[in-house]
Amino acid sequence: PMDGRQFVHQIGTTGTPTATSFTVAVQGCSHGELDSIYEAVLAYRERNLSRGGGNGGDIDVLLCCGDVQTLRDPSDYHALNVPAKYRTLGDFHAYYSGRKVAPILTVFVGGNHESSNYLQELHYGGWVAPNIYYLGAAGAVRLCKRTEGPGGNTSVSSLRVAGLSGIYNGRHYRLGRYEMPPYGRDELRSVYHTREVDVARMKALGDGPTDVMISHDWPRGVHRHGDEADLVRRKPFFGEEVWSNTLGSVANGELLGALRPGHWFAAHLHVKFEAEVCHAAPREGASDGGGEEKADGGVDGAVDSLARTTRFLSLDKCLPRRRHIQVVHVEPSSSRPVGHPGEMIRRGSWLEYDPSWLAVLRRTRHLTVRARGAVPAPDVAAATGGEVEEVTRRLG
C-alpha cells in the first residue's frame, strides 16, 4: 500500500501524444499547495522522460482551476473567504517574493477561496509571480511552442486558452465591480462572483476555435453528459441539484454552448468527473446562431458536419488519495510560420496575447464600472479584422 505522498504523484492521462500535441497538466482546486503540485508534475515529467517518453514526456503548461490562494503575506488574510481556523499562508508567497520560481509555466483562474485583493489588482489578467499567469476575471491567451512537421518544416503551433474566474450567484451577476478592499462581510463573497459583462465578452470569442476553457464552477447541466448515477453515489449531497438540473453555473452553461471548446476543465465540487458534450452546429444560413437551443448548447436542425465535441473534466482538491491532477494531450487548432529568428531557437512553450480578445476588451472597456447597480451587458460582437490589426499594431 502507498502512503498519501506517493499517491499524490499518481497522475491520470487523457489522449495520445503526437509530434504536434501540447501536453497539458490540469489541477483541480489548489488550496495553496503549489509545492506539492509542482513536485507531483515534475515527478511525472521525469518518470516519462526517463522511460524515453519522447512526444508528451515534457509538460507544456500547468492549468489550475481556481482556489490557488495567491496570499503574499498574512496581511492578505482579510481578503480570503475561509473560516479563521483554516487560514494558512500556503506556498505562493515564496514564488511571489522570488525565493522560488515556478518550474512549469502556470496559468490559472480564480475561484471562491482567493486572495481577492491581489487578484482585483489584475482584473484583466497578468503575471502574479514569475512564470505564473492569472487570466483575470475573464481572459484568453495563446499558448505557443515551436513544432516541426513532415520534411523538417518548422512552425509555431498555438492553443487558445480561455478562462472565467469565480462562481455564479444570481444576486450579483448583473452588477458592476463595486467591491474594494477592505471588504465588508458581503463584499468578501460578492467580489468573486461572476459578472454578466465578462460572460458577454467571452461569448465574442466565438470568432474562432477555443481549444481549452478553464473555470472554477461547472457549466450548468454538464453532469447530464457523464455518469450522473456514479456522481451522486460518490457525492450524495449533490443529488437534489443533479436531478433538478441546478448543479453548476448558468453563465458557464451559456459559454459552453456559445464557445463549444475542445476541452473544458473545472474544479470547485471536489470530485473527479468526466463528460463528453456533443454540440450541434447552427443552422445553415443562420448568421447569429438563431434557433431553439438544446440542453447541450446545440441548436435544432443542425448541420452534422459542423458538430463539435467538448471533453469536460473536473478534478478534486490537492489532498492525499484524491484525483486532483490529470495530464491531457491536446492538438493545436492553429499554426503559423516562424515570425522571427528568436523563435527558431526558443525552447519550451510560451504565452502570447490573443489579439481578438484584446480587441474585444478595448471596444468594451466602458462596461467595466464600479457601480453597485445593474450594468447593461449587450451582445458583444466578435472582433473585426480591422480591430485585430489595430491591436496587433499597437503591440508591435
Side-chain angles (χ1 to χ4, degrees), residues 24-312:
V24 178
V26 185
Q27 163 65 38
C29 296
S30 301
H31 291 298
E33 298 288 343
L34 286 178
D35 287 350
S36 178
I37 293 164
Y38 287 136
E39 179 183 325
V41 176
L42 289 175
Y44 171 92
R45 182 176 71 179
E46 293 305 314
R47 185 167 61 249
N48 278 270
L49 292 176
S50 66
R51 293 173 179 173
N55 295 331
D58 207 350
I59 302 293
D60 293 307
V61 69
L62 169 67
L63 302 180
C64 297
C65 300
D67 287 357
V68 175
Q69 297 183 5
T70 54
L71 296 161
R72 296 163 292 184
D73 58 51
S75 68
D76 283 336
Y77 283 156
H78 77 279
L80 176 68
N81 183 29
V82 299
K85 64 180 180 179
Y86 294 121
R87 289 177 179 170
T88 58
L89 192 55
D91 301 328
F92 174 76
H93 67 95
Y95 298 91
Y96 176 79
S97 69
R99 187 162 58 86
K100 296 180 181 179
V101 177
I104 300 166
L105 176 62
T106 303
V107 178
F108 75 99
V109 292
N112 59 315
H113 301 299
E114 301 288 0
S115 178
S116 296
N117 56 335
Y118 186 27
L119 297 189
Q120 251 198 318
E121 295 176 14
L122 296 168
H123 179 73
Y124 295 112
W127 298 99
V128 296
N131 224 27
I132 304 178
Y133 189 85
Y134 170 52
L135 280 172
V141 293
R142 291 280 179 179
L143 176 67
C144 304
K145 72 174 180 178
R146 184 170 55 87
T147 57
E148 292 188 9
N153 296 325
T154 302
S155 61
V156 175
S157 297
S158 69
L159 299 177
R160 171 181 274 173
V161 178
L164 185 72
S165 292
I167 62 173
Y168 177 81
N169 183 298
R171 291 195 303 118
H172 303 117
Y173 185 54
R174 293 182 170 84
L175 302 185
R177 293 283 182 180
Y178 63 89
E179 303 89 352
M180 295 183 67
Y183 305 116
R185 182 176 178 181
D186 291 339
E187 287 79 11
L188 186 60
R189 293 166 176 78
S190 64
V191 68
Y192 54 72
H193 290 159
T194 301
R195 298 305 207 267
E196 186 179 28
V197 165
D198 296 312
V199 175
R201 288 167 169 156
M202 292 296 297
K203 289 178 180 178
L205 289 180
D207 66 326
T210 296
D211 300 290
V212 173
M213 178 75 185
I214 59 176
S215 66
H216 190 58
D217 220 350
W218 292 21
R220 173 71 57 88
V222 74
H223 56 83
R224 292 185 167 185
H225 301 270
D227 192 338
E228 286 183 320
D230 182 62
L231 174 63
V232 174
R233 180 186 62 80
R234 289 182 292 150
K235 297 285 187 175
F237 43 87
F238 291 159
E240 183 176 345
E241 291 175 280
V242 167
W243 307 133
S244 63
N245 194 30
T246 55
L247 184 70
S249 163
V250 171
N252 288 349
E254 292 179 4
L255 286 177
L256 177 61
L259 299 182
R260 298 180 293 167
H263 295 267
W264 189 306
F265 304 128
H268 189 43
L269 301 185
H270 298 168
V271 63
K272 182 176 181 180
F273 181 80
E274 298 177 83
E276 192 167 286
V277 183
C278 296
H279 306 278
R283 290 191 183 100
E284 283 187 296
S287 60
D288 60 355
E292 182 182 350
E293 291 192 1
K294 296 181 180 179
D296 64 1
V299 179
D300 289 330
V303 181
D304 291 341
S305 63
L306 297 178
R308 297 181 187 172
T309 299
T310 297
R311 291 171 176 81
F312 174 79

Side-chain angles (χ1 to χ4, degrees), residues 331-346:
E331 287 293 336
S333 63
S334 62
S335 63
R336 58 173 173 79
V338 172
H340 54 79
E343 290 181 339
M344 287 296 295
I345 60 175
R346 192 165 190 173

